[in-house]
Amino acid sequence: MGLIESYARRAELGLAPDTLEIALSERLIHAAAFQFGLVIEIIIGALEIALLECGDHLEWRHFKLAYAVRSSCADAFNPFVVDDDHRIDTRRSIKREDERRFRHCSPCPCRCRPSREKVRPRWPQGSHGATARRG
């Protein structure tokens, strides 16, 4: 059982024939820029769309929509839409998503992203990690 099939089964959805193609898995990995966590996020996004549509099958178009929602990219930059998806640099859309997510942070009071300021560790006085010479 594949990863997509496993998640679809947990969501009580069937798989449309187009989701069983190897090409979908390849495009999914490419769309996530070879980052496993993003693969999972896109699968879950596709499942959410299918469930919100009250569908009973997970389809290729759900992955297309999940990527579009996540990356805010036009169809010309969506690896689930274009024929030659390998020409798309999906790392750019991931970077853009991260920037949009953390736009309000600089430095962030909610600590969702570290401040850009240099932070020096505050050691207790006399314990700077080095042993003092006793003499």
Side-chain angles (χ1 to χ4, degrees):
M1 175 185 330
L3 189 63
I4 297 171
E5 184 180 358
S6 174
Y7 272 85
R9 186 173 288 174
R10 292 289 304 250
E12 299 179 359
L13 290 173
L15 294 176
D18 60 356
T19 59
L20 300 173
E21 297 176 15
I22 295 293
L24 177 65
S25 297
E26 291 172 352
R27 287 175 188 249
L28 178 59
I29 291 167
H30 176 67
F34 298 92
Q35 296 181 32
F36 185 71
L38 292 178
V39 167
I40 301 299
E41 286 183 22
I42 295 170
I43 291 172
I44 291 172
L47 289 168
E48 287 176 350
I49 291 169
L51 291 169
L52 287 171
E53 290 179 350
C54 298
D56 56 353
H57 285 84
L58 183 62
E59 301 173 9
W60 185 295
R61 68 184 179 84
H62 296 132
F63 289 92
K64 175 186 121 177
L65 291 170
Y67 186 83
V69 167
R70 186 178 199 300
S71 67
S72 302
C73 287
D75 282 352
F77 299 101
N78 189 326
F80 296 100
V81 176
V82 298
D83 291 331
D84 52 347
D85 64 298
H86 295 301
R87 72 173 177 77
I88 299 171
D89 184 4
T90 55
R91 293 171 298 170
R92 285 184 166 186
S93 63
I94 291 167
K95 181 180 177 188
R96 188 169 50 247
E97 168 64 20
D98 289 342
E99 288 171 356
R100 191 176 70 219
R101 223 182 249 180
F102 298 117
R103 184 177 300 144
H104 68 282
C105 305
S106 184
C108 182
C110 66
R111 303 212 186 274
C112 63
R113 187 171 89 176
S115 168
R116 293 181 187 201
E117 300 171 12
K118 282 191 171 183
V119 177
R120 293 186 183 158
R122 296 183 185 202
W123 302 97
Q125 281 218 328
S127 63
H128 299 298
T131 55
R133 291 189 181 184
R134 297 176 192 211

